[in-house]
Amino acid sequence: MTVKIAIISDTHFGVSRGTEREEDCWENAREAFEKAKDCDLIILPGDLFDGRIPRPEDWAKSMEILSGVNVPVVAIHGNHERRGKEMINPVEGLERAKFLKYIHCNSVTLDVKGVKISIYGIGWVPESYAKEVLRHCNPKPIDGSYNILVMHQSISPYVFNPLDPPSIRLEDLPPGFDLYVNGHIHWPVKTEVHGKPFLIPGSTVTTQVNKSESKNPKGFYIVEIGEKVDIKFVKLENARKVYYQEFEISEKDKLSEVMEKIENYLNGINDEKKPLVRVILKGKVKSGMDIDRSKIKKKYRDRLILSIGLKVIEGEVQKKIKLLRDLKEKKVSIDEMGMNILRENMKELDIPPLYENIFDFLVDGNIDSAITYLLSNSENASLRSTGIKKWL
Ligand SMILES: [Mn+2]
């Protein structure tokens, strides 16, 4: 007798709403659940939803997908679903409606086709608390069961955001489990810990267009347990393709040459489903060179979902002149204004100058990471006094 377990992670229901790729999360999830149809158990390691308070449209579509599943579903919450202890997070909401079994710092044991399977789950906690929470919950395998540990953290060396460093390493995971599963990381990983498989399926949908998204397929894992354990990665065929390209520019380059380089690259991309393309321009630009990003974007908008990032360094003097000119013309970006306000406020709070990192988190809408980063980098004891209990 073999038992097939599907592990589908980070479906991010509701992500990119209001954009031309708002259907992606649904299309990809439907493909994944369809391809998991012959499985006997489904594990969802967090970030099922993109937001902690899903819209009715997201509830409806997610319940539609889950109502088509006729096998047990076990889930934990991710950082995107985390709500206060006294509140109900959306994954718990689905449990109340009996769509799944939600676990956090506890386990569930199921009889699947006569095979006892025990799943211990720990939902996301701020990275700086993960080690303490793991020690406190102290997950232990159950005798006579096939034991699975499920988490949603950065686990070194697998780090989602280098600015939000993990407190646990792979070797810190408790031994004795037959399978280790993690969400959070959006690219697939298959390795071993304590001689047993450690799997991260990655997200089913692209949430941020970056290099790793362009290099890794979207999909999920199916683990088949029988005489031996068989693990296969199931690719999502309909997922939107991602392209990422950096261009190095030098002060010698003419604008026409830079433009030609970019357009040659973009003309070479041809996909039926509009791909996500991110172009980064790096290096030094000649003063006064004005790369018209919106013009390029417009030109390709029927074929590509394009974004162009500038990571160019202009000479210090040029930068200052530009800032002054922009100030005069009131063109100072929202980013700069926001950064200045944050810098002033943090000075008052006597917090070390970490505002640039925190600002990046805030711009990304990653408020959890901003708070965690602030807490873990702060000497201020009262800020940390909330303590680990808050996360259990
Ligand atoms: Mn995620």
Side-chain angles (χ1 to χ4, degrees):
M1 182 69 76
T2 65
V3 171
K4 279 171 99 173
I5 306 167
I7 306 158
I8 303 173
S9 196
D10 293 73
T11 49
H12 282 265
F13 290 151
V15 73
S16 307
R17 74 159 178 255
T19 75
E20 60 182 314
R21 54 188 179 111
E22 68 181 350
E23 285 304 314
D24 287 16
C25 62
W26 306 107
E27 288 171 10
N28 295 4
R30 282 184 204 115
E31 185 183 342
F33 279 87
E34 176 64 33
K35 287 183 167 157
K37 236 179 169 173
D38 64 337
C39 291
D40 309 297
L41 167 66
I42 297 178
I43 296 175
L44 308 173
D47 282 3
L48 187 56
F49 291 96
D50 191 60
R52 62 203 71 211
I53 305 179
R55 295 176 313 154
E57 286 79 3
D58 301 333
W59 280 115
K61 287 181 189 165
S62 57
M63 290 191 285
E64 218 170 8
I65 289 173
L66 288 168
S67 67
V69 178
N70 299 314
V71 295
V73 177
V74 177
I76 61 171
H77 69 260
N79 50 314
H80 280 254
E81 289 134 337
R82 202 265 307 156
R83 296 190 80 211
K85 215 172 137 179
E86 61 292 342
M87 287 181 256
I88 294 176
N89 73 51
V91 186
E92 273 180 292
L94 290 173
E95 178 182 49
R96 297 283 179 103
K98 298 191 164 47
F99 283 105
L100 50 78
K101 172 74 187 162
Y102 167 72
I103 45 176
H104 179 51
C105 285
N106 60 358
S107 74
V108 58
T109 296
L110 304 161
D111 184 312
V112 184
K113 287 157 76 180
V115 179
K116 240 172 89 181
I117 296 177
S118 296
I119 305 162
Y120 194 101
I122 304 177
W124 179 84
V125 298
E127 296 299 350
S128 60
Y129 288 112
K131 197 169 191 170
E132 288 167 73
V133 169
L134 189 61
R135 197 183 307 133
H136 184 274
C137 295
N138 194 20
K140 288 231 162 35
I142 291 166
D143 273 351
S145 263
Y146 183 82
N147 288 285
I148 307 172
L149 179 66
V150 186
M151 295 179 75
H152 188 101
Q153 298 291 148
S154 277
I155 300 174
S156 182
Y158 308 105
V159 180
F160 187 63
N161 187 339
L163 292 177
D164 195 11
S167 62
I168 45 176
R169 300 161 304 167
L170 206 51
E171 316 85 83
D172 296 328
L173 297 178
F177 287 82
D178 299 291
L179 174 65
Y180 296 82
V181 170
N182 190 31
H184 198 45
I185 308 295
H186 280 196
W187 59 91
V189 172
K190 182 185 168 205
T191 184
E192 279 190 2
V193 62
H194 308 306
K196 298 290 174 177
F198 173 88
L199 301 178
I200 303 175
S203 66
T204 54
V205 63
T206 299
T207 59
Q208 287 171 331
V209 185
N210 55 32
K211 201 190 265 174
S212 98
E213 288 288 323
S214 72
K215 286 187 169 163
N216 292 295
K218 295 280 121 197
F220 67 99
Y221 278 110
I222 291 181
V223 178
E224 192 169 353
I225 36 180
E227 300 265 291
K228 58 180 182 59
V229 176
D230 183 51
I231 299 167
K232 81 170 182 241
F233 185 77
V234 183
K235 253 173 95 169
L236 300 180
E237 315 288 342
N238 294 316
R240 207 182 283 280
K241 293 231 163 52
V242 177
Y243 295 85
Y244 178 93
Q245 182 68 44
E246 292 183 356
F247 289 99
E248 205 66 52
I249 345 179
S250 85
E251 277 172 303
K252 285 182 230 143
D253 291 338
K254 288 193 196 119
L255 179 62
S256 61
E257 292 165 348
V258 175
M259 294 295 277
E260 200 186 313
K261 255 201 249 179
I262 300 171
E263 296 212 17
N264 277 343
Y265 171 70
L266 297 177
N267 289 334
I269 300 172
N270 243 313
D271 289 283
E272 213 172 301
K273 191 171 185 174
K274 259 193 196 182
L276 292 160
V277 183
R278 180 142 177 87
V279 167
I280 303 283
L281 303 173
K282 281 171 99 174
K284 277 190 175 169
V285 290
K286 210 157 46 181
S287 91
M289 189 196 275
D290 188 17
I291 298 161
D292 191 347
R293 286 185 275 181
S294 63
K295 196 175 143 195
I296 308 174
K297 272 178 133 162
K298 237 182 232 163
K299 182 171 173 186
Y300 288 91
R301 99 183 136 198
D302 293 335
R303 284 182 42 225
L304 314 174
I305 303 176
L306 175 64
S307 67
I308 303 170
L310 281 175
K311 285 188 181 166
V312 292
I313 313 154
E314 293 178 84
E316 257 332 285
V317 179
Q318 284 165 338
K319 235 196 267 175
K320 279 180 187 152
I321 292 170
K322 188 172 172 292
L323 187 67
L324 285 173
R325 199 172 51 209
D326 287 351
L327 259 174
K328 201 175 143 218
E329 294 170 19
K330 295 217 169 66
K331 275 202 310 196
V332 173
S333 71
I334 301 289
D335 276 19
E336 268 165 299
M337 281 198 279
M339 183 84 97
N340 286 337
I341 295 167
L342 187 68
R343 190 183 294 134
E344 289 311 311
N345 279 307
M346 289 184 64
K347 250 187 226 158
E348 272 173 39
L349 282 171
D350 206 20
I351 288 167
L354 305 159
Y355 42 81
E356 296 206 2
N357 290 342
I358 288 170
F359 191 73
D360 282 344
F361 284 131
L362 295 175
V363 168
D364 282 347
N366 207 340
I367 292 159
D368 280 331
S369 296
I371 294 170
T372 322
Y373 188 75
L374 199 56
L375 290 176
S376 57
N377 285 285
S378 176
E379 303 294 311
N380 188 331
S382 71
L383 276 176
R384 276 192 71 89
S385 69
T386 48
I388 152 184
K389 289 280 180 283
K390 188 169 175 257
W391 306 102
L392 298 174

